[in-house]
């Protein structure tokens, strides 16, 4: 199903992880494992299948988070020495060309921090997160990109895969979100649409000429995509849930899960 025309090619459903298939048997899969992780793998796999996300509480070593914050402070103090990619309100540039390190400002994202900070790479490669994704993908996952920011994005509802296409198999992508501090309700926390990852609920948005991917040839824009998703979720009765994690928690979501940044009600509040 699409908005504005037929889908000419569908690289999403051509090849999907086993758990996205209608015949996925979680109990049989877990029963055959020679060893099982310390967490409730079967329960988390069911939650992933049904809701499109899992939450792990207190699995990120606080020492890794603190080390990442120290690395960011170092980059901030020495920004002119690094070619760190930064997005400032939609404009891409390098940190050394920005004239300052604007991480405290709204609409600012650091790209690929994990390539500059060993501590940030450890966050992305957290053992529990990696173990769970290995069961999802049936193989070792890799970090494709990372985004780091201090302020709530207030980004309208969207899905990641139309924008992030570095992997060869489109459906084999997830996102992880790791708070560097306790998140409050007034900082514009993340909200997600549980179950909205299922294709029959999300449908496919046509960016132009049947493409489900956003690129330089697209004739539709991200706000049109947001309006489409809002309408789809309302039609399907999927209500957003606000996520306020604690420092040390981790959230992983499906590459087709609609999510958004909620309204920031306290401009002084951070959402690191």
């Amino acid at each position: 199903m699409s908005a504005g025309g037929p889908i000419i090619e569908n690289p999403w459903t051509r090849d999907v992880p086993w758990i996205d298939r209608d015949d996925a048997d979680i109990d049989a899969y877990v029963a055959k494992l020679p060893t099982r992780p310390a967490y409730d793998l079967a329960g988390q796999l069911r939650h992933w299948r049904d809701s499109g996300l899992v939450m792990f509480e207190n699995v990120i070593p606080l020492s890794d988070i603190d080390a990442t914050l120290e690395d960011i402070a170092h980059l901030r103090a020495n920004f002119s020495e690094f070619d760190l990619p930064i997005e400032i309100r939609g404009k891409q540039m390098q940190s050394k060309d920005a004239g300052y390190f604007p991480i405290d400002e709204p609409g600012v994202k650091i790209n690929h921090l994990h390539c500059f900070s060993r501590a940030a790479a450890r966050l992305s490669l957290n053992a529990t997160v990696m173990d769970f994704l290995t069961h999802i993908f049936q193989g070792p996952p890799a970090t494709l990109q990372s985004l780091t920011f201090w302020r709530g994005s207030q980004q309208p509802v969207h899905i990641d895969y139309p924008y992030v296409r570095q992997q060869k198999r489109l459906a084999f992508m997830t996102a992880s979100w790791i708070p560097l501090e306790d998140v409050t309700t007034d900082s514009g926390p993340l909200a997600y649409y549980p179950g909205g990852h299922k294709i029959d609920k999300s449908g496919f948005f046509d960016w132009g000429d049947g493409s489900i991917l956003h690129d330089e040839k697209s004739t539709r824009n991200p706000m049109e995509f947001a309006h489409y998703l809002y309408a789809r979720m309302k039609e399907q009765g999927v209500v957003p849930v606000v996520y306020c994690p604690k420092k040390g928690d981790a959230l992983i979501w499906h590459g087709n899960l609609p999510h958004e940044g909620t309204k920031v009600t306290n401009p002084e509040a951070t959402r690191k």
Side-chain angles (χ1 to χ4, degrees):
M1 188 171 184
S2 67
I7 297 299
I8 296 173
E9 183 180 13
N10 181 359
W12 179 269
T13 57
R14 184 188 306 131
D15 184 18
V16 298
W18 68 277
I19 199 165
D20 284 344
R21 297 173 184 147
D22 293 337
D23 60 352
D25 189 333
I26 292 173
D27 290 334
Y29 171 77
V30 174
K32 291 179 180 179
L33 294 175
T35 59
R36 300 182 189 181
Y39 60 90
D40 178 10
L41 176 60
Q44 292 288 49
L45 287 172
R46 290 190 187 94
H47 199 270
W48 180 269
R49 178 195 61 197
D50 298 339
S51 297
L53 76 160
V54 295
M55 302 169 187
F56 289 104
E57 295 182 351
N58 197 30
V59 296
I60 308 296
L62 299 186
S63 58
D64 286 348
I65 295 177
D66 292 340
T68 299
L69 292 170
E70 290 175 5
D71 284 353
I72 292 172
H74 176 78
L75 289 167
R76 187 175 192 174
N78 302 276
F79 68 90
S80 61
E81 300 177 14
F82 295 92
D83 286 325
L84 186 67
I86 295 181
E87 178 183 318
I88 302 178
R89 289 173 288 281
K91 183 179 181 181
Q92 303 290 336
M93 63 180 66
Q94 306 300 114
S95 58
K96 68 177 183 179
D97 298 325
Y100 68 114
F101 199 70
I103 193 168
D104 281 340
E105 299 178 8
V108 172
K109 298 177 182 178
I110 301 173
N111 299 313
H112 305 300
L113 181 65
H114 69 285
C115 296
F116 295 79
S117 163
R118 188 183 299 271
R122 286 199 299 268
L123 293 185
S124 294
L125 302 174
N126 173 263
T128 301
V129 172
M130 294 292 281
D131 180 79
F132 180 77
L133 292 180
T134 297
H135 291 290
I136 293 294
F137 295 141
Q138 296 294 280
T143 300
L144 297 180
Q145 72 168 43
S146 59
L147 300 174
T148 307
F149 47 88
W150 252 220
R151 304 287 176 177
S153 67
Q154 302 187 101
Q155 187 173 358
V157 63
H158 62 285
I159 289 172
D160 291 330
Y161 81 82
Y163 305 105
V164 185
R165 305 183 304 278
Q166 294 163 319
Q167 70 280 12
K168 292 182 179 179
R169 294 186 291 177
L170 187 62
F172 284 69
M173 182 189 79
T174 63
S176 64
W177 193 72
I178 296 172
L180 306 180
E181 62 180 349
D182 293 353
V183 175
T184 61
T185 56
D186 59 357
S187 65
L190 176 81
Y192 58 86
Y193 290 75
H197 68 295
K198 297 180 180 180
I199 298 300
D200 61 335
K201 292 187 180 296
S202 68
F204 288 107
F205 179 73
D206 184 353
W207 290 93
D209 295 327
S211 174
I212 64 173
L213 304 176
H214 179 260
D215 57 28
E216 64 279 356
K217 298 179 182 179
S218 297
T219 58
R220 314 287 294 280
N221 61 58
M223 279 309 303
E224 290 178 280
F225 186 32
H227 293 318
Y228 165 79
L229 288 172
Y230 281 129
R232 285 289 302 186
M233 293 302 101
K234 183 176 180 180
E235 175 186 319
Q236 298 295 322
V238 182
V239 179
V241 175
V242 175
Y243 179 58
C244 288
K246 300 292 185 182
K247 181 179 178 180
D249 295 346
L251 174 70
I252 317 172
W253 69 79
H254 192 284
N256 192 47
L257 183 72
H259 56 285
E260 63 192 7
T262 59
K263 182 177 177 58
V264 176
T265 57
N266 177 8
E268 301 302 318
T270 57
R271 198 193 95 183
K272 300 179 183 179

